[in-house]
Amino acid sequence: MVDEIHIISEEPVRNPPGSIWQYTYNGQTVYYIPPYCCDVYGRLLNDHCGFICAPDGGITGDGDGKCPDFFTTRTNGKLIWQDSRR
């Protein structure tokens, strides 16, 4: 989790604030970083900060198509970090 916070905390302050969500997906703990705007992809990372897929965002809003079931099959969601900078 520390690596995920480090990744997003280096980004500029955004509105809405940056956040990291933890879920269980396909039997593993994953971390979801929502897109901050428009055509930007959301990012799904494994517990070693390895990129898994982009479940949403992009021009179509459907992400990169590599994990189309993420939003319907994820479980145990919790917000683990939200950028408090203003």
Side-chain angles (χ1 to χ4, degrees):
M1 179 174 78
V2 172
D3 290 335
E4 290 87 352
I5 293 171
H6 178 74
I7 287 170
I8 200 168
S9 67
E10 290 182 341
E11 295 182 6
V13 175
R14 308 244 189 248
N15 185 17
S19 60
I20 300 175
W21 292 81
Q22 179 180 318
Y23 293 97
T24 301
Y25 175 64
N26 288 341
Q28 64 179 321
T29 299
V30 296
Y31 299 94
Y32 170 64
I33 303 172
Y36 59 86
C37 181
C38 318
D39 297 340
V40 177
Y41 287 108
R43 294 176 279 171
L44 191 64
L45 307 174
N46 64 27
D47 61 354
H48 298 292
C49 289
F51 181 79
I52 298 171
C53 67
D56 59 347
I59 293 173
T60 65
D62 294 330
D64 62 8
K66 295 180 181 176
C67 55
D69 64 341
F70 172 69
F71 292 109
T72 58
T73 62
R74 66 186 180 182
T75 59
N76 304 320
K78 69 178 179 176
L79 176 65
I80 60 168
W81 182 80
Q82 186 165 27
D83 194 346
S84 62
R85 299 175 295 168
R86 303 233 180 240

